[in-house]
Amino acid sequence: MASTPSPSKSVLVTGANGYIGNAVCRAFRRAGWHVYGLVRRSSGACALAASEIIPVVGSVSADLSWLDALLGSGTTFDAVVSCTENFPFAAHYAHILALLTRVAQHNRHHGRPKPLVLFSSGCKDYGTTPLHGSDRFAPHLETTPLDPPAILRERAACALDALAHPDLFDAAVVRPTPVYGYGSSYYATFFQVVSSIAAAASQPGEGPKKKIRVPADLNTVIHGCHVDDCGEAYVALATHADRGAVAGQCFNVSGRRYETLGELLGALGGAYGISFPSLIGDVVVVGPLGEGEEQGGGEAEMHPGAVLQLGYSQWVGSDKIRRLTGWTDTRTLLSEDARAYRAAYEAAVERGDEGVARIQERVAGTLAGDAAWKKSGVYGSKEVGVRYIEG
Ligand SMILES: NC(=O)c1ccc[n+]([C@@H]2O[C@H](COP(=O)([O-])OP(=O)(O)OC[C@H]3O[C@@H](n4cnc5c(N)ncnc54)[C@H](OP(=O)(O)O)[C@@H]3O)[C@@H](O)[C@H]2O)c1
């Protein structure tokens, strides 16, 4: 019987129990690679092993003895995918670079080709685009000057530095839009906001109708990508036949079209059994404050963490990776399948998904020490929802 040679390629993925890292691991595995997933805690190893990912317990830190042990066993890597989230990023990057250098030198020592490094950054590196329907409305492309929010400045700069070591490794920067699906990462905020509006709407009220103010324009552009499609994009770059066309480049990864905040809230409202934006039982949902207008008593305000997510308008073009590799997204948009994505998110919450908890902490963290929000607790202290202003 004729045998087909095995591709026998190996990839090391850092942040393998993270949201993107795990999707990347699974995508490489589906593509027939040997996948090594780095996790910091041995408790994360079992889940990786169950998905046929070889768990490696260690951290991206000054102590890379775990890597020495791995390489010492004769393993070489064709690709390394960096998927960690860590602040302050510049200090973390020094350790990432040490890791990449060691993998590259090991390949050289064994007469293997340079590894391909796929370095995860994000589309927020470009800043924001205007609202849907505005003048001079155009997508962010890889040629767009970088203008990241302060918290992401170091990540954006370090990602570009990863391109500057072609003597050691080939590298490309991957800039996904926010990603959704399963636990839904930062998109969880949308589920929390709409569920808290639904909860508010179901409370019987007397007197004038309560108002919930959505703090962002409904024409805010929300451009995402399903996390499985995102994982496939990394594989498309790693398996592209022309390494020279990938190395030294940045690639955006975004879904085939954007949605607007109004479109998303409308679809999610349907999934939660409320009609939005409009009258919901005793609650009226209204837009952002107009000029000179003040938020009044009896109105509900939205968690600042939610404002960050709902109000970040960005349209991102991903033609470059599509044209070069043929990658395309195949999963339904969030607004096309809101019930399924709601159910998946709630299932993740139900089983105590670590990733959901991690994002919740991060987003709600903007409120640490905010006594008013802590006191309100009406819709869950860590939930990114709404609270009523007394008065
Ligand atoms: N989520 C999104 O929507 C999105 C969109 C675009 C770009 N990105 C970017 O993509 C990257 C990954 O994001 P994500 O959402 O997948 O993050 P995530 O779910 O928070 O996962 C981050 C992972 O990094 C690991 N990690 C952090 N520091 C580490 C260290 N020193 N050594 C080893 N592992 C370490 C964490 O391990 P522990 O579990 O041990 O903490 C976790 O597995 C980030 O750069 C992020 O900014 C994310």
Side-chain angles (χ1 to χ4, degrees), residues 153-230:
R153 256 180 231 144
E154 287 189 0
R155 185 195 66 185
C158 292
L160 287 184
D161 181 81
L163 303 179
H165 306 274
D167 50 321
L168 288 167
F169 48 81
D170 294 326
V173 173
V174 186
R175 296 197 180 114
T177 54
V179 273
Y180 62 87
Y182 312 110
S184 263
S185 193
Y186 295 100
Y187 268 88
T189 302
F190 291 95
F191 297 112
Q192 292 179 15
V193 161
V194 178
S195 94
S196 71
I197 293 175
S202 69
Q203 307 229 325
E206 285 171 15
K209 294 201 180 296
K210 298 171 190 166
K211 281 184 189 168
I212 294 180
R213 206 169 272 288
V214 176
D217 194 300
L218 295 181
N219 280 321
T220 302
V221 174
I222 311 286
H223 202 169
C225 184
H226 192 285
V227 70
D228 281 347
D229 285 325
C230 179

Side-chain angles (χ1 to χ4, degrees), residues 14-21 38-41 58-61 82-87 89 92 120-123 152 155 175-180 185-187 234 354-355 358-359 362:
T14 67
N17 61 329
Y19 188 61
I20 292 187
L38 179 69
V39 285
R40 286 198 277 197
R41 285 160 289 122
S59 73
V60 182
S61 65
S82 176
C83 288
T84 50
E85 177 80 287
N86 195 306
F87 300 99
F89 203 90
H92 179 55
S120 302
S121 194
C123 282
L152 296 177
R155 185 195 66 185
R175 296 197 180 114
T177 54
V179 273
Y180 62 87
S185 193
Y186 295 100
Y187 268 88
Y234 285 77
E354 270 187 20
R358 189 165 44 220
I359 296 296
R362 226 176 260 160

Side-chain angles (χ1 to χ4, degrees), residues 371-388:
W373 273 92
K374 268 191 195 149
K375 199 178 103 200
S376 78
V378 184
Y379 301 108
S381 56
K382 266 199 263 164
E383 287 289 305
V384 180
V386 296
R387 77 173 175 104
Y388 284 104

Side-chain angles (χ1 to χ4, degrees), residues 11-213:
V11 60
L12 172 65
V13 181
T14 67
N17 61 329
Y19 188 61
I20 292 187
N22 195 255
V24 166
C25 284
R26 287 184 276 110
F28 272 96
R29 189 66 200 151
R30 283 194 296 275
W33 287 54
H34 302 294
V35 182
Y36 293 74
L38 179 69
V39 285
R40 286 198 277 197
R41 285 160 289 122
S42 47
S43 58
C46 183
L48 291 188
S51 299
E52 303 164 4
I53 297 153
I54 302 161
V56 180
V57 180
S59 73
V60 182
S61 65
D63 177 10
L64 294 178
S65 52
W66 59 270
L67 181 61
D68 293 334
L70 185 60
L71 299 179
S73 69
T75 311
T76 57
F77 290 107
D78 302 281
V80 180
V81 184
S82 176
C83 288
T84 50
E85 177 80 287
N86 195 306
F87 300 99
F89 203 90
H92 179 55
Y93 177 68
H95 300 309
I96 299 180
L97 192 56
L99 180 157
L100 299 176
T101 302
R102 233 174 262 197
V103 170
Q105 286 171 340
H106 182 73
N107 276 22
R108 189 184 290 166
H109 183 72
H110 286 267
R112 301 278 304 153
K114 284 191 271 185
L116 174 68
V117 170
L118 297 176
F119 198 101
S120 302
S121 194
C123 282
K124 287 200 166 62
D125 291 1
Y126 304 114
T128 55
T129 54
L131 302 178
H132 167 74
S134 310
D135 292 342
R136 300 193 321 278
F137 185 48
H140 282 157
L141 304 176
E142 290 81 354
T143 48
T144 301
L146 299 189
D147 184 19
I151 192 172
L152 296 177
R153 256 180 231 144
E154 287 189 0
R155 185 195 66 185
C158 292
L160 287 184
D161 181 81
L163 303 179
H165 306 274
D167 50 321
L168 288 167
F169 48 81
D170 294 326
V173 173
V174 186
R175 296 197 180 114
T177 54
V179 273
Y180 62 87
Y182 312 110
S184 263
S185 193
Y186 295 100
Y187 268 88
T189 302
F190 291 95
F191 297 112
Q192 292 179 15
V193 161
V194 178
S195 94
S196 71
I197 293 175
S202 69
Q203 307 229 325
E206 285 171 15
K209 294 201 180 296
K210 298 171 190 166
K211 281 184 189 168
I212 294 180
R213 206 169 272 288

